[in-house]
Amino acid sequence: LMLPDKHGNTPLHIACATLQIQSKTNSIDETIIKTLSVGAPEAHHAQNQQGDIPLSLLLTAPAIQATTDPELLAVESQAEDLIRRLLHEQQDLSSAQNKSGQTLLHMATMHRVHERVSILLLDNASYAVGLSDSQGKLPIHHVAATAYPHHN
């Protein structure tokens, strides 16, 4: 369960990065992530070649992205619950930074995750608002860049 691919991604990295919204039920299926988490809890700390842990990649997954579609509001709650469980199981994940110096909060703001997920990350690691990445950007810089993309 820990065997990485050529990019250093474990099965948990891949499951997190590709989490989709199930179109028939407007929900997310966490079965694979839960199974891999139980079978290889050490995978939560595994870094790929970019230094990303699986939770970092989960924040880039389509199912975690913010939406204004009222039919998908239940997904926001599911996403928050999934991330809350992962953070609870591995409390030290909140402080993770990849090779570019990006924290989970950087990833969340770069990929416009559900607001509740951002609040959860802030609650778990409020100090991350003051951490710069390798380009000198704070998470708030990414918020501004995604709000006004033509000003990058």
Side-chain angles (χ1 to χ4, degrees):
L1 291 177
M2 285 290 296
L3 188 63
D5 65 12
K6 67 180 181 179
H7 303 288
N9 292 309
T10 65
L12 185 58
H13 280 93
I14 295 166
C16 286
T18 59
L19 185 66
Q20 299 284 327
I21 297 170
Q22 304 298 311
S23 58
K24 290 181 182 178
T25 59
N26 284 336
S27 63
I28 56 177
D29 185 357
E30 310 165 20
T31 308
I32 294 173
I33 293 174
K34 286 180 183 177
T35 302
L36 291 170
S37 292
V38 171
E42 66 277 12
H44 290 281
H45 297 279
Q47 293 182 317
N48 64 14
Q49 289 178 352
Q50 288 76 38
D52 288 315
I53 60 172
L55 185 52
S56 298
L57 297 185
L58 181 60
L59 296 171
T60 70
I64 308 298
Q65 307 305 301
T67 181
T68 56
D69 185 342
E71 292 184 18
L72 298 179
L73 291 180
V75 172
E76 182 173 345
S77 179
Q78 285 183 296
E80 179 187 17
D81 290 344
L82 173 59
I83 291 170
R84 182 184 315 280
R85 276 195 311 278
L86 292 173
L87 287 171
H88 179 72
E89 292 168 6
Q90 304 286 330
Q91 294 179 353
D92 58 332
L93 294 179
S94 297
S95 61
Q97 287 182 277
N98 64 17
K99 290 182 180 177
S100 297
Q102 296 163 338
T103 64
L104 296 176
L105 192 56
H106 281 92
M107 298 296 282
T109 55
M110 289 169 53
H111 295 282
R112 300 187 71 169
V113 300
H114 299 297
E115 181 179 343
R116 290 165 56 170
V117 170
S118 295
I119 292 169
L120 175 63
L121 292 172
L122 279 168
D123 287 346
N124 276 275
S126 59
Y127 63 87
V129 298
L131 293 178
S132 298
D133 63 18
S134 62
Q135 296 180 345
K137 292 183 179 180
L138 299 169
I140 193 68
H141 292 117
H142 296 292
V143 171
T146 57
Y148 303 99
H150 58 283
H151 292 292
N152 276 336

